[in-house]
Amino acid sequence: MDTRERILNSAKLVFSQRGREGARMQEIADLAGVNKAMLFYYFTSKDKLYEDVLRNIMTHLFMNINNVTTSAVKPESKIEKIVETYVDLMNKNPYIPGIIIAEVASGADTLKKLLAELKDSAEFTLPQNIKQIFIHGKQDHRFRGIDVEQTILSILGMCVIYFIGKPLVNDILKINGEDESKFLRRRVKHIIDLLENGILIRK
Amino acid sequence: MDTRERILNSAKLVFSQRGREGARMQEIADLAGVNKAMLFYYFTSKDKLYEDVLRNIMTHLFMNINNVTTSAVKPESKIEKIVETYVDLMNKNPYIPGIIIAEVASGADTLKKLLAELKDSAEFTLPQNIKQIFIHGKQDHRFRGIDVEQTILSILGMCVIYFIGKPLVNDILKINGEDESKFLRRRVKHIIDLLENGILIRK
DNA sequence: AAACAGTTTAACCATATGGTTAATTTTATT
DNA sequence: AATAAAATTAACCATATGGTTAAACTGTTT
């Protein structure tokens, strides 16, 4: 792996654990096994590095979920697939929630800037695509007359909460490494169950 | 209001917006309208101040929600009341989610320490109390055979997600000050609806 | 092999920040 | 009023940290 990429990966981790300000350039450099000056050589400043990390994450995130929404199956399955993909993505990239959450907590200025950039690009149809799933589901009389935006927010909340609270949840529920994948499978199943029995019309 | 209290309140705000490390003692002092040395006079160090802020928040939080769980009504109403109380609490104390989330994202060490303290105290029956609501609901054949822990996690996620994502959600959904309370009422209604039509046995 | 651009390093630098202190003002006590 | 204790202030201090720089190293082109 080349230097630039190693820095970016280390930065993801350190930013997610220490926060934007708590992160130390030296720690990122050490983790990447690189001289500190290299961070500035490739990324100019801490702020720019942070911005690049965020851009990298968001692009990754959008790409993954958009794949799902464009596959042609019935709305329930799409929603199920979104939940699965989302949880799986967080699980495989544990730094994602930390960074995004810290960013949003501090006003999300950088993220807003980024989204404004992406808005014009072709990829950025994600929110609309997800909305469409629900609208179609309602038209086809598969979903109840639920509030689409609220429901999306709820799904997001249910998917994300474990990863946000991970250290604490694991501490309280006593989940150790080996059990985690099992726990996550149970979590996905539960979210889908709770969700569907809430939004599906029963005949 | 006395100096100590003013510092604590300012600290809540600044910690929530800037994060534990991003927060500057000078900014807290300025916001409180107090000489910086007073922070050290009353709280010894930044770490101790942070710990006190966290303790203050957690106690506040537990007290409020425990009140609900001990009132004697049917389980559905209790859950409804918890959602309402929770959302209301976050709304009235907007610094709460920010601090807790940043704390948990960074490993939650301080919070774990605090919870261990509280564990021995009389107040700390909250998780058990909430669990009991669901267990009773299931025994009374009002609730389906849902996974209690997963459901609690889901409720938490749905309640908290708006406040976590607030700057972004407001930006995307274009909610301005006046509409917020209306939005939150809709949010509470939606959470309860989604939840109950998921967990209630239909006859 | 000389020249050149790209990459990496160690040693620095300026500054912001958590924290201290000694002196001063305010409040409570007798 | 005198005295002691608590509260407050301005001026400092030590250090950590983001950022710079000049020199050295590496690989490629001619």
Side-chain angles (χ1 to χ4, degrees):
Chain A
M1 211 193 325
D2 69 337
T3 306
R4 205 194 128 92
E5 202 178 339
R6 286 171 58 184
I7 294 172
L8 208 65
N9 285 333
S10 304
K12 282 178 189 171
L13 243 170
V14 177
F15 274 125
S16 77
Q17 288 171 347
R18 313 257 185 227
R20 182 180 190 160
E21 308 253 0
R24 301 293 156 217
M25 297 301 264
Q26 189 61 62
E27 189 179 353
I28 296 172
D30 290 348
L31 189 68
V34 164
N35 189 290
K36 193 185 71 171
M38 299 314 285
L39 311 204
F40 297 91
Y41 180 73
Y42 284 108
F43 296 93
T44 310
S45 72
K46 191 184 183 181
D47 282 345
K48 288 265 174 56
L49 173 57
Y50 175 79
E51 210 181 300
D52 273 12
V53 165
L54 210 61
R55 190 190 327 272
N56 192 281
I57 289 178
M58 293 313 286
T59 312
H60 186 197
L61 218 147
F62 281 174
M63 266 175 27
N64 267 277
I65 298 197
N66 238 358
N67 280 348
V68 174
T69 63
T70 49
S71 64
V73 275
K74 56 180 180 170
E76 298 94 297
S77 313
K78 278 188 183 174
I79 304 287
E80 287 171 20
K81 201 82 192 135
I82 287 181
V83 172
E84 279 165 21
T85 310
Y86 207 80
V87 171
D88 190 56
L89 199 72
M90 297 279 159
N91 186 35
K92 283 187 183 139
N93 307 281
Y95 49 83
I96 293 184
I99 293 182
I100 296 186
I101 279 151
E103 165 66 16
V104 176
S106 67
D109 297 327
T110 311
L111 187 53
K112 277 182 197 167
K113 214 181 90 187
L114 264 173
L115 291 181
E117 273 179 34
L118 288 175
K119 218 161 205 163
D120 305 320
S121 86
E123 290 124 310
F124 193 75
T125 42
L126 183 56
Q128 279 307 318
N129 287 346
I130 296 183
K131 254 186 172 171
Q132 281 306 317
I133 301 176
F134 285 99
I135 292 173
H136 287 147
K138 277 159 69 164
Q139 282 173 348
D140 301 353
H141 299 282
R142 292 172 172 278
F143 294 167
R144 290 167 47 221
I146 40 136
D147 182 325
V148 174
E149 274 156 358
Q150 293 284 349
T151 308
I152 294 177
L153 210 51
S154 292
I155 296 178
L156 192 65
M158 288 192 287
C159 287
V160 117
I161 188 69
Y162 166 67
F163 298 99
I164 293 177
K166 199 164 168 174
L168 213 58
V169 174
N170 286 355
D171 197 53
I172 293 174
L173 267 51
K174 287 159 191 42
I175 296 163
N176 35 46
E178 292 87 41
D179 294 340
E180 188 170 30
S181 61
K182 211 185 291 175
F183 175 84
L184 282 178
R185 273 199 299 278
R186 228 173 70 222
R187 175 107 199 107
V188 169
K189 262 186 156 176
H190 161 264
I191 294 175
I192 292 172
D193 175 50
L194 187 59
L195 198 58
E196 295 199 337
N197 288 301
I199 63 175
L200 290 180
I201 295 175
R202 271 152 295 282
K203 287 152 196 168
Chain B
M1 211 193 327
D2 69 336
T3 306
R4 205 194 128 91
E5 201 179 340
R6 286 171 59 184
I7 294 172
L8 207 65
N9 285 333
S10 303
K12 282 178 191 173
L13 244 169
V14 176
F15 274 125
S16 77
Q17 286 171 348
R18 312 258 185 225
R20 181 181 190 158
E21 308 252 0
R24 301 292 157 221
M25 297 302 263
Q26 189 61 62
E27 190 179 353
I28 296 173
D30 290 348
L31 190 67
V34 163
N35 188 289
K36 194 185 71 171
M38 298 314 284
L39 312 204
F40 297 91
Y41 180 72
Y42 284 107
F43 296 93
T44 311
S45 73
K46 191 184 185 182
D47 282 345
K48 288 265 174 56
L49 172 58
Y50 175 79
E51 211 182 299
D52 273 13
V53 165
L54 210 61
R55 191 193 324 274
N56 191 281
I57 290 178
M58 293 313 286
T59 311
H60 186 196
L61 220 146
F62 281 175
M63 266 174 30
N64 267 278
I65 298 197
N66 237 358
N67 280 347
V68 174
T69 62
T70 49
S71 63
V73 275
K74 56 179 181 172
E76 298 94 298
S77 313
K78 278 187 183 176
I79 305 286
E80 287 171 19
K81 201 81 192 137
I82 287 181
V83 172
E84 280 166 20
T85 310
Y86 206 81
V87 171
D88 189 56
L89 201 72
M90 297 278 159
N91 186 35
K92 283 186 183 142
N93 308 280
Y95 49 83
I96 293 185
I99 294 183
I100 295 187
I101 279 149
E103 164 67 16
V104 176
S106 67
D109 296 328
T110 311
L111 187 53
K112 278 182 197 168
K113 215 181 90 185
L114 264 172
L115 290 181
E117 273 179 36
L118 289 175
K119 218 161 205 164
D120 304 319
S121 86
E123 291 124 309
F124 193 75
T125 42
L126 184 56
Q128 279 307 318
N129 287 347
I130 296 183
K131 253 186 172 172
Q132 282 305 318
I133 301 177
F134 285 100
I135 292 173
H136 287 146
K138 277 161 63 165
Q139 281 172 348
D140 301 353
H141 299 280
R142 292 171 173 278
F143 294 168
R144 288 168 48 221
I146 39 137
D147 182 325
V148 174
E149 274 155 359
Q150 293 285 347
T151 308
I152 294 176
L153 209 53
S154 292
I155 295 178
L156 192 66
M158 288 192 287
C159 287
V160 117
I161 188 68
Y162 166 67
F163 298 99
I164 293 178
K166 199 163 166 173
L168 214 58
V169 174
N170 286 356
D171 198 52
I172 294 173
L173 266 52
K174 288 159 191 42
I175 296 163
N176 34 46
E178 292 88 41
D179 294 339
E180 189 170 30
S181 60
K182 211 184 292 175
F183 176 83
L184 281 179
R185 273 200 299 279
R186 228 173 69 222
R187 175 105 199 109
V188 169
K189 260 187 157 177
H190 161 264
I191 294 176
I192 293 172
D193 176 50
L194 187 59
L195 197 60
E196 294 199 337
N197 288 301
I199 63 175
L200 290 180
I201 295 174
R202 270 151 296 279
K203 289 153 194 168

